[in-house]
């Protein structure tokens, strides 16, 4: 028995690797090792006053801080039975769209595109394909602008609050978002054609899981048509070789992310994005995890179209800028958000004084840990003995990158 080690995944967020176990010339097992240190965020929130918690949770991730902020706020508001205005709902969605633009563009144009064009990184790729890199950076910069306005700053913002916002956007800021979203659509549309060339890699998940709204909602949905709260059908378990837990849906492996979103919620897509979905529907339906890249590209079109819709609606109505008053009370609430990488859950129990008594956070990369292992196993079986070691390892890394993992988000403390 021998093993092939990937010491550290490259062009992903966080620290992780993999071990491919070979026995008698055949691939027997693959272990995805998440060795990023535990973050302790659940423990850090215990006993904290609810008002401080979303700002603390925003520190979990620089790339998807708004998803954590919004999920935290939703969990708190549901624990208190608070209903916010349509304006606040739209502004939260706008922030999440900005995050989707920033994150998907970063992943596709700077991390995945070098694989497609045969380069080791985006800097070398820019020497011959500079326009593609510039287009990706333009979309990414626009996403960051939206995050700065809605979240308060590009990284670790503190503007999303229970009951509303610390600051509301101005008319001029919304008008700029409307103009830029329209101007960037052509670039995003071109990008779909680029990333449609991704080859099939990895496994086909047994199930897809998503939130019942496109970017946030109040339940989860699955490809077997079930609608549920996460604790009803999803079980987590600790692993001896990883700080990230593994999950099963009804005992089986599943996937979260852009591909599940597009497949399960195609009817929610905006007109141009839906047209692109129909164009590539048969390819997406093949189900290989590498098609997550194509789904992310279609989502860039969706996010730009939806940004234009929301900003126009807000400009037509005018901004009231009124927060909803909150009275702390004992309660329990779950925030379900679609972070760029998939389903994100913040679950709280709050005491009568408004302090956090229980906290559980489950991130997309933790949900995807099992399907990531299965995908590496399937890809390793297909390629072992038929390609040189360099190509073998390259294709395994491309398979991991397709998940766009955020490893730092995935690590948790386990009480044994």
């Amino acid at each position: 028995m021998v093993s092939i080690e990937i010491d550290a995944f490259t062009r992903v967020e966080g620290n992780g690797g993999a071990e491919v176990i070979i026995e008698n010339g055949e691939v027997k097992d693959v272990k995805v090792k998440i060795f990023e240190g535990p973050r302790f965020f659940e423990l850090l929130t215990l006993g904290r006053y609810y008002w401080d918690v979303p700002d603390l949770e925003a520190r979990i991730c620089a790339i998807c801080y708004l998803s954590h902020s919004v999920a935290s706020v939703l969990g708190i508001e549901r624990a208190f039975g608070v209903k916010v205005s349509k304006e606040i709902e739209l502004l939260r969605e706008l922030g999440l769209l900005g995050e989707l633009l920033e994150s998907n563009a970063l992943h596709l144009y700077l991390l995945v595109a070098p694989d497609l064009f045969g380069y080791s990184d985006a800097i070398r790729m820019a020497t011959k394909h500079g326009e593609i890199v510039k287009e990706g950076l333009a979309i990414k910069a626009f996403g960051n602008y939206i995050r700065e306005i809605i979240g308060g700053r590009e990284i670790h913002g503190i503007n999303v609050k229970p009951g509303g916002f610390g600051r509301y956007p101005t008319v001029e800021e919304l008008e700029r978002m409307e103009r830029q979203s329209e101007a960037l659509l052509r670039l995003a549309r071109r990008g779909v054609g680029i990333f449609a060339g991704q080859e099939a890699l990895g496994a086909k998940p047994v199930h897809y899981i998503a939130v019942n709204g496109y970017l946030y909602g109040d339940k989860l949905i699955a490809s077997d048509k079930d609608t549920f709260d996460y604790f009803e059908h999803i079980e987590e378990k600790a692993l001896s070789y990883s700080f990230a837990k593994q999950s099963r849906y009804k005992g089986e492996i599943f996937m979260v992310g852009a591909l599940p979103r597009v497949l399960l919620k195609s009817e929610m897509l905006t007109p141009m994005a839906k047209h692109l979905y129909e164009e590539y529907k048969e390819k997406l339906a093949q189900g290989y995890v590498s098609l997550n890249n194509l789904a992310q590209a279609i989502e860039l079109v969706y996010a730009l179209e939806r940004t234009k819709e929301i900003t126009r609606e807000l400009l037509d109505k005018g901004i009231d800028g009124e927060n909803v008053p909150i009275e702390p009370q004992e309660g329990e609430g779950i925030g379900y958000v679609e972070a760029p990488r998939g389903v994100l859950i913040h679950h709280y129990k709050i005491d009568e004084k408004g302090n956090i008594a229980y906290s559980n956070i489950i991130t997309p990369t933790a949900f995807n840990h099992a399907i990531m292992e299965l995908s590496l196993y399937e890809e390793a079986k297909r390629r072992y003995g038929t390609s040189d070691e360099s190509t073998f390892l390259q294709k395994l890394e491309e398979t991991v990158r397709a998940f766009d993992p955020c490893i730092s988000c995935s690590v948790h403390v386990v009480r044994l």
Side-chain angles (χ1 to χ4, degrees):
M1 186 177 70
V2 297
S3 65
I4 299 173
E5 294 278 351
I6 300 177
D7 293 328
F9 298 136
T10 58
R11 281 186 267 146
V12 300
E13 196 287 329
N15 297 313
E19 179 184 14
V20 182
I21 300 168
I22 312 294
E23 187 174 329
N24 297 323
E26 293 184 3
V27 176
K28 290 297 182 182
D29 194 16
V30 174
K31 294 180 179 179
V32 173
K33 300 178 178 181
I34 305 298
F35 40 77
E36 181 107 5
R39 307 288 300 288
F40 299 103
F41 275 93
E42 285 107 333
L43 295 179
L44 288 171
T45 58
L46 293 181
R48 295 261 183 172
Y49 192 55
Y50 79 91
W51 185 260
D52 302 327
V53 172
D55 294 346
L56 180 62
E57 308 288 37
R59 269 65 177 178
I60 293 175
C61 183
I63 297 173
C64 46
Y65 86 82
L66 259 173
S67 296
H68 285 285
S69 296
V70 173
S72 179
V73 161
L74 290 175
I76 291 166
E77 287 174 350
R78 286 168 185 160
F80 294 155
V82 171
K83 175 68 176 174
V84 299
S85 65
K86 178 69 177 300
E87 175 182 289
I88 292 171
E89 290 179 345
L90 288 174
L91 286 170
R92 287 175 180 171
E93 183 182 354
L94 186 60
L96 293 174
L97 289 165
E99 193 152 271
L100 197 72
L101 288 166
E102 190 276 338
S103 184
N104 283 14
L106 167 64
H107 176 238
L108 292 172
Y109 289 88
L110 301 184
L111 307 182
V112 172
D115 292 329
L116 301 184
F117 288 92
Y119 293 89
S120 59
D121 56 57
I123 295 174
R124 289 176 176 82
M125 175 182 151
T127 59
K128 289 192 176 180
H129 302 280
E131 284 305 309
I132 293 175
V133 175
K134 288 178 182 177
E135 289 171 7
L137 289 173
I139 297 171
K140 180 181 181 298
F142 178 53
N144 268 335
Y145 174 72
I146 297 175
R147 297 207 308 167
E148 182 179 1
I149 299 304
I150 302 300
R153 52 193 180 203
E154 290 183 11
I155 297 173
H156 302 326
I158 55 173
N159 193 47
V160 178
K161 301 293 185 183
F165 295 90
R167 173 193 178 275
Y168 284 78
T170 65
V171 169
E172 292 75 19
E173 288 164 345
L174 291 173
E175 286 176 339
R176 177 179 170 182
M177 290 181 202
E178 184 184 29
R179 288 194 306 271
Q180 284 193 256
S181 60
E182 173 66 27
L184 291 169
L185 263 173
R186 177 182 60 84
L187 306 186
R189 173 66 183 85
R190 180 188 174 200
V192 175
I194 294 171
F195 296 101
Q198 174 74 59
E199 67 180 302
L201 297 170
K204 299 179 181 182
V206 179
H207 298 285
Y208 298 109
I209 289 179
V211 177
N212 61 350
Y214 202 86
L215 288 182
Y216 67 91
D218 57 5
K219 293 284 184 180
L220 297 180
I221 56 174
S223 48
D224 62 3
K225 308 302 182 184
D226 209 352
T227 301
F228 61 100
D229 278 310
Y230 81 96
F231 53 81
E232 295 177 302
H233 296 307
I234 293 178
E235 295 182 356
E236 293 183 284
K237 69 175 182 178
L239 302 170
S240 62
Y241 56 86
S242 175
F243 281 123
K245 291 182 278 187
Q246 272 198 4
S247 300
R248 295 289 191 277
Y249 168 71
K250 298 181 179 178
E252 296 181 306
I253 292 176
F254 64 95
M255 180 182 179
V256 300
L259 182 60
R261 283 194 293 264
V262 167
L263 290 174
L264 294 180
K265 298 182 280 194
S266 60
E267 73 283 354
M268 299 183 192
L269 293 173
T270 48
M272 188 184 296
K274 192 167 187 178
H275 172 77
L276 290 165
Y277 166 76
E278 293 294 336
E279 181 178 346
Y280 294 103
K281 184 177 180 179
E282 290 186 10
K283 183 166 188 174
L284 290 165
Q286 293 173 10
Y288 292 101
V289 296
S290 58
L291 293 167
N292 197 54
N293 294 327
L294 173 56
Q296 280 194 345
I298 292 172
E299 282 193 327
L300 288 178
V301 175
Y302 165 80
L304 290 168
E305 285 189 293
R306 184 63 183 142
T307 295
K308 184 180 178 183
E309 291 176 355
I310 290 175
T311 50
R312 177 40 48 194
E313 183 175 347
L314 291 170
L315 287 166
D316 288 343
K317 291 176 60 178
I319 297 289
D320 294 329
E322 292 289 333
N323 284 1
V324 177
I326 292 180
E327 290 293 329
Q329 57 181 293
E330 186 176 358
E332 180 177 358
I334 304 172
Y336 292 110
V337 165
E338 287 281 1
R341 291 154 184 80
V343 174
L344 170 66
I345 294 169
H346 281 239
H347 182 182
Y348 304 114
K349 294 178 184 177
I350 306 177
D351 66 24
E352 67 280 358
K353 294 180 181 179
N355 298 321
I356 303 297
Y358 168 84
S359 173
N360 187 33
I361 301 169
I362 312 178
T363 65
T365 302
F367 276 142
N368 278 337
H369 190 264
I371 184 61
M372 196 182 302
E373 281 194 337
L374 178 61
S375 290
L376 285 178
Y377 174 73
E378 295 287 351
E379 197 61 32
K381 280 179 61 179
R382 279 195 288 267
R383 295 189 181 271
Y384 185 71
T386 63
S387 59
D388 59 78
E389 184 173 340
S390 176
T391 302
F392 176 77
L393 293 175
Q394 169 71 17
K395 292 306 176 182
L396 293 189
E397 289 225 37
E398 287 182 30
T399 303
V400 170
R401 273 195 283 278
F403 289 94
D404 191 12
C406 186
I407 292 171
S408 297
C409 285
S410 69
V411 292
H412 283 258
V413 173
V414 181
R415 190 182 301 278
L416 298 176

